[in-house]
Amino acid sequence: MTINTIVIIGAGQAGASAILELRQHQYEGQIILIGDEAHLPYERPPLSKDVILNPDSTKVEILSEQKLQDLNVEVILNNPVQKIHRLEHCVELSQGEKIHYDKLLIATGAAPRRLPVLDALGQHVYTLRNLEDSHALISVLQPERRLILVGGGVIGLELASSATAKQAHVTVLEVGPSLMGRSSPRFLSEFLLAQHRQAGIDIRFEAQISAVKLESDQVVLTLQSGEVLQADAIIYGIGVIPNAQLALDADLAVDGAIQVNENCQTSDADIYAAGDVATQLREDGQYRRVETWENANLQAGIFARHVMNVEHPKANPAWFWTDQLGLNIQFAGDMTVSDWRISNIEDAKTSAPSFIAYGLKDGIVMAGVTVNAARKMRAIKKLISSQAVFESIADTA
């Protein structure tokens, strides 16, 4: 089959990376990028940090208009895909146009998981997923304002950090027993808790919301414990839901996210999915979804290489990072291991904490965490990939 036209639904990280990978591997056919926002592809990690703290100097654009022209990409914005017609090999846009594809990539990302009890309030309640959300928060995160952040995951803690930097008063409500409980080992959750409390952030665990209302332009939130909190605004981040409705309507295999094989193909061989919207078949026979910047790039690369019949590179250990309170924290490998060995790093140039932690299973390095030691992460990834025995490792990581 000759591949003349590739359509990419979703102008985010995965969509942009797919374009770059396709052209890098000498694909010369037509590429059509379709986005539901008004913006060209942009980075999302800075939305909770630099876009709020330094809005005038922060650049988030991945592919400029000129770069897209140089890559010979047709771009359609603010006109989302409404339906995939698999038999016709075309997509239908909201304004009625139909666009043919030979291969289709769905990279529609995910949307914030909703809390109806908060959404019902409307005014003074915010979430963060796109550039408009981030811009809206600039005027919210201001000195002396009282903010309640619902959710003690990565987004909640990064926003708590940004709000504290803006001298706001912050309370974090977490329904579970620890911070970043889904992605962080216990020792690091405890370390983060100490750092946030030291910065003056009020952290509440097992905090269930029973009611919320507006009183004199103030948000009044009642916990199930009976405690009443007041704030100028509430921001919540309790996870995301994959934007998989297009695939569901097209009768593709969906289990909450779009199921893809090792080549990022869906149950239709001419349709692929990548990024937060996709759950991929792993070597253990299970489907797993990974919500990271790196995974979006990785799956976009897999798609492009498969289309171009180029061998996939060997996968690196899963990796992601977060920046909070002046700390750069990076994670690689399997965060569920229970045996951790911590090595402190002395740095005369700074008083900030700095350490490495190795996660072991039967003495083999399966995971790693760095705190203010980003330069060590590459070596840690190599140790994980080579299944190095911890006792035989010199401190070269």
Side-chain angles (χ1 to χ4, degrees), residues 153-222:
V154 173
I155 293 297
L157 295 183
E158 289 185 346
L159 283 171
S161 173
S162 295
T164 300
K166 299 283 278 187
Q167 301 179 338
H169 302 292
V170 181
T171 298
V172 174
L173 304 181
E174 167 55 42
V175 70
S178 62
L179 296 177
M180 288 180 57
R182 291 192 304 124
S183 57
S184 179
R186 179 179 295 275
F187 80 89
L188 191 63
S189 295
E190 293 172 352
F191 169 79
L192 288 171
L193 175 60
Q195 294 295 313
H196 280 263
R197 284 182 169 165
Q198 185 177 336
I201 298 168
D202 183 6
I203 309 281
R204 313 286 184 92
F205 293 112
E206 299 179 347
Q208 298 273 2
I209 299 170
S210 65
V212 62
K213 62 182 179 178
L214 275 179
E215 285 186 1
S216 301
D217 211 34
Q218 293 289 299
V219 180
V220 180
L221 185 149
T222 304

Side-chain angles (χ1 to χ4, degrees), residues 340-379:
W340 288 90
R341 311 295 174 85
I342 300 173
S343 176
N344 291 315
I345 298 173
E346 299 293 335
D347 189 345
K349 297 179 181 179
T350 177
S351 59
S354 182
F355 61 86
I356 301 170
Y358 300 92
L360 311 180
K361 183 177 181 180
D362 299 327
I364 303 297
V365 179
M366 303 293 292
V369 171
T370 64
V371 175
N372 284 347
R375 66 191 182 279
K376 305 288 188 179
M377 182 48 74
R378 178 175 293 184

Side-chain angles (χ1 to χ4, degrees), residues 1-6 89 100-104 269-270 307:
M1 172 184 172
T2 301
I3 303 173
N4 295 314
T5 302
I6 294 175
H89 265 64
H100 169 81
Y101 67 82
D102 295 309
K103 298 291 184 181
L104 175 67
D270 290 330
V307 166

Side-chain angles (χ1 to χ4, degrees), residues 213-258:
K213 62 182 179 178
L214 275 179
E215 285 186 1
S216 301
D217 211 34
Q218 293 289 299
V219 180
V220 180
L221 185 149
T222 304
L223 300 178
Q224 286 189 358
S225 65
E227 184 178 9
V228 177
L229 304 174
Q230 291 189 331
D232 298 297
I234 294 179
I235 310 166
Y236 74 88
I238 56 168
V240 298
I241 296 176
N243 292 322
Q245 191 61 46
L246 280 174
L248 195 62
D249 292 344
D251 201 27
L252 298 173
V254 174
D255 61 0
I258 305 172

